[in-house]
Amino acid sequence: MGTYRHLMIYFCCVSIVFSILDIIVQPNVQTYKSAFFMVVEVQRRNMDPWIAKVSVYCLCGCFGVAHYCIAIHFIYRFFALERKGRVRYFQGFNLIIWFLIPIFSGAMWFLITAEVFTQTSIEIDYIRNIVKQTFSADMHEIVFVSGIFYPIDQTVLMTIPFTVIIVFGFRSWKIVRGLLDHGESEYSKNLQMQLYKALVAQNFQTYKSAYILVVEVKRRNMDPWIAKGSIYCICGCFGVVIYCIAIHFIYRLFALERKGRVRYFQGNNLIIWFLIPIVCGAAWLLITSEVYTQTKIEADYIRNSVKQTFNSDMEDIVFISGIFYPIDKTGLRIFNWRTFLGFGLFSILMTIPFTVIIVFGFRSWKIVRGLLDHGESEYSKNLQMQLYKALVAQTVLPMIFLFIPFGLLFSLPMFEIDCQLLSSFITLTFAMYPAVDPLPILYFIDYYRNPIIGLELLRKTDYTMCETLTDAFKLKCCKRSRISNDESITIG
């Protein structure tokens, strides 16, 4: 066994210490809104508060030691499998250095826990109610460490997003008011305002095992059928958008391959490609309208949440909801097969474009990566690198703005995990994606970036300026290595 024996003994000792501290502390790790915290009930267990606090710090430190030990374990195992003699780095005095690395990281965990996650009045007031509800204990009866991302103080709360909402909401209102002046009739003006409200006033919510989309019709003087139709349409539009993105990636791969397969996007074939997102959007619309219905069970399940969040009765709203485990008339939790069916169908519809984006994005990345090694000139290599960066960014963006948020929103309520913070931004991320998607192209590609920011960083060896007055603003490309085929570069 050699050196590996010493590593295993060291790791076992760390695990023993970690287990002993876990028995002493018996930590309760909780989350509440934007806070995570660890609680030790000192009064109930008749424990000195300073012992409990130090034990919590040591437990966190041991966690830091443990996962660095695991990492070093993998390093040693890799060196041993390589058989290149690098196991010698774990012998003699070097072994002591490897042993010190986890201890140092554990000390960092200890210090961060002790110095950063302190017990101030803000933290105490923030978690007071949840501690009382969960442990039936007052704050002086416990010792805790907590991290609160958005505590509540007595001054200004979230000034930046509030200002953004006010400013851009007012500007949007002015634009819509201007559009209303061009309505052909009073009915047309009223219809435009109702549609506008329906599109901007939707609220995604989660509550226990439910996810909900709510429109307050009474407060906004909106016809319920318009609100419901708008909800169905916006769900259908989401299905259209994600399949459009997937088709975009297919076309880009065909263009980069240079095998003539771009012809599949020409003529009548283009109509078929256009119909695919429409059909998938129609499927989203039908699933939303037929599977997620408004029955008395759904209404009773979310009634309290709607009252607390919107201060509205169920008769004042229009909603669609998916509830995995509703409560029946006898007060028992039941299995809602309709929600699971809808979740399964939505998962299938999202998995197809997600897989297309991953597979075709990866294959495009491999092609562009290969082109970097075969550039005929510095100009060609630089251009391919710009395309490579833009491609990577445009592959990541739909994951961040569409697939991950909506995937979590649909799946977390199944396990009754609170994702209210995520649901608050879900409409915003969906609306932002079309505006954010072109930014990688505009930023990474010099041809677009330079005119936008007002710079003319064009190399003299690549371009010459025409001397005639009529062509003063035209640039003539004089580079000998020129890409003549319009399929050589295709950018979304």
Side-chain angles (χ1 to χ4, degrees), residues 31 64 96 122 201 208 243 287 295 345 347 429 432 466 485:
T31 61
I96 299 176
I122 293 178
K208 295 183 178 179
Y243 275 84
I287 294 171
T295 67
L345 295 174
S347 299
T429 59
M432 284 177 59
C466 296
N485 191 346

Side-chain angles (χ1 to χ4, degrees), residues 141-192:
E141 299 173 355
I142 67 169
V143 167
F144 72 94
V145 292
S146 66
I148 305 176
F149 291 101
Y150 311 112
I152 300 175
D153 60 14
Q154 298 177 354
T155 55
V156 180
L157 179 64
M158 300 180 70
T159 304
I160 295 177
F162 178 79
T163 305
V164 170
I165 291 172
I166 295 298
V167 173
F168 285 87
F170 177 73
R171 294 181 64 181
S172 299
W173 174 80
K174 288 183 63 178
I175 293 174
V176 174
R177 291 297 298 176
L179 293 174
L180 294 179
D181 296 335
H182 301 286
E184 298 178 356
S185 63
E186 188 64 29
Y187 173 79
S188 176
K189 293 180 181 181
N190 186 45
L191 180 62
Q192 288 182 27

Side-chain angles (χ1 to χ4, degrees), residues 59-289:
L59 183 65
C60 295
C62 281
F63 178 78
V65 174
H67 69 260
Y68 271 83
C69 285
I70 297 171
I72 291 174
H73 183 190
F74 274 80
I75 295 173
Y76 180 87
R77 186 158 52 187
F78 176 72
F79 285 173
L81 290 172
E82 274 190 327
R83 299 183 180 179
K84 294 182 179 180
R86 290 201 282 183
V87 175
R88 66 180 184 276
Y89 297 140
F90 280 84
Q91 297 175 354
F93 182 76
N94 293 331
L95 186 61
I96 299 176
I97 297 177
W98 288 108
F99 285 168
L100 290 176
I101 292 174
I103 296 175
F104 175 77
S105 66
M108 294 298 297
W109 273 77
F110 182 97
L111 292 175
I112 293 171
T113 305
E115 297 298 328
V116 177
F117 299 105
T118 55
Q119 298 184 18
T120 66
S121 59
I122 293 178
E123 283 80 7
I124 292 174
D125 293 338
Y126 193 90
I127 67 172
R128 186 186 303 277
N129 292 335
I130 190 64
V131 169
K132 187 67 174 178
Q133 178 181 349
T134 305
F135 303 99
S136 298
D138 296 326
M139 296 305 294
H140 66 274
E141 299 173 355
I142 67 169
V143 167
F144 72 94
V145 292
S146 66
I148 305 176
F149 291 101
Y150 311 112
I152 300 175
D153 60 14
Q154 298 177 354
T155 55
V156 180
L157 179 64
M158 300 180 70
T159 304
I160 295 177
F162 178 79
T163 305
V164 170
I165 291 172
I166 295 298
V167 173
F168 285 87
F170 177 73
R171 294 181 64 181
S172 299
W173 174 80
K174 288 183 63 178
I175 293 174
V176 174
R177 291 297 298 176
L179 293 174
L180 294 179
D181 296 335
H182 301 286
E184 298 178 356
S185 63
E186 188 64 29
Y187 173 79
S188 176
K189 293 180 181 181
N190 186 45
L191 180 62
Q192 288 182 27
M193 177 57 75
Q194 291 179 13
L195 291 173
Y196 169 73
K197 290 177 179 178
L199 291 176
V200 303
Q202 293 158 350
N203 294 275
F204 278 98
Q205 300 288 325
T206 61
Y207 174 68
K208 295 183 178 179
S209 66
Y211 50 87
I212 320 156
L213 182 56
V214 175
V215 178
E216 300 174 87
V217 292
K218 184 175 182 180
R219 183 175 300 176
R220 295 175 171 85
N221 192 27
M222 188 190 312
D223 288 337
W225 69 268
I226 293 181
K228 186 176 294 187
S230 298
I231 292 177
Y232 297 158
C233 289
I234 198 171
C235 292
C237 284
F238 177 77
V240 173
V241 168
I242 60 177
Y243 275 84
C244 286
I245 298 170
I247 292 174
H248 183 189
F249 276 76
I250 295 173
Y251 180 86
R252 185 155 50 188
L253 174 66
F254 287 175
L256 288 170
E257 281 183 323
R258 303 184 187 180
K259 295 180 180 180
R261 291 201 283 183
V262 174
R263 68 180 183 276
Y264 297 138
F265 280 84
Q266 297 173 354
N268 293 332
N269 294 330
L270 188 60
I271 299 176
I272 297 175
W273 289 107
F274 285 166
L275 289 176
I276 292 175
I278 295 175
V279 171
C280 296
W284 272 79
L285 188 148
L286 290 174
I287 294 171
T288 305
S289 60

Side-chain angles (χ1 to χ4, degrees), residues 8 65 167 282 291 293 335 406 483:
M8 292 304 297
V65 174
V167 173
V291 177
T293 55
F335 182 91
F406 280 90
I483 303 174

Side-chain angles (χ1 to χ4, degrees), residues 9-110:
I9 293 174
Y10 180 75
F11 185 64
C12 289
C13 291
V14 171
S15 299
I16 291 172
V17 174
F18 186 87
S19 301
I20 293 173
L21 287 172
D22 189 67
I23 294 173
I24 295 174
V25 175
Q26 296 182 13
N28 290 282
V29 180
Q30 301 287 327
T31 61
Y32 173 69
K33 294 183 178 179
S34 67
F36 59 92
F37 54 97
M38 182 187 297
V39 173
V40 179
E41 300 176 84
V42 291
Q43 182 165 320
R44 183 177 63 83
R45 298 171 56 194
N46 194 25
M47 183 187 303
D48 289 336
W50 71 269
I51 294 179
K53 186 175 294 187
V54 173
S55 298
V56 169
Y57 298 158
C58 292
L59 183 65
C60 295
C62 281
F63 178 78
V65 174
H67 69 260
Y68 271 83
C69 285
I70 297 171
I72 291 174
H73 183 190
F74 274 80
I75 295 173
Y76 180 87
R77 186 158 52 187
F78 176 72
F79 285 173
L81 290 172
E82 274 190 327
R83 299 183 180 179
K84 294 182 179 180
R86 290 201 282 183
V87 175
R88 66 180 184 276
Y89 297 140
F90 280 84
Q91 297 175 354
F93 182 76
N94 293 331
L95 186 61
I96 299 176
I97 297 177
W98 288 108
F99 285 168
L100 290 176
I101 292 174
I103 296 175
F104 175 77
S105 66
M108 294 298 297
W109 273 77
F110 182 97

Side-chain angles (χ1 to χ4, degrees), residues 292-301 319 321 336 338:
Y292 297 103
T293 55
Q294 297 183 23
T295 67
K296 188 176 185 300
I297 293 179
E298 282 82 4
D300 292 338
Y301 190 90
F319 73 96
S321 66
N336 190 351
R338 296 180 68 92

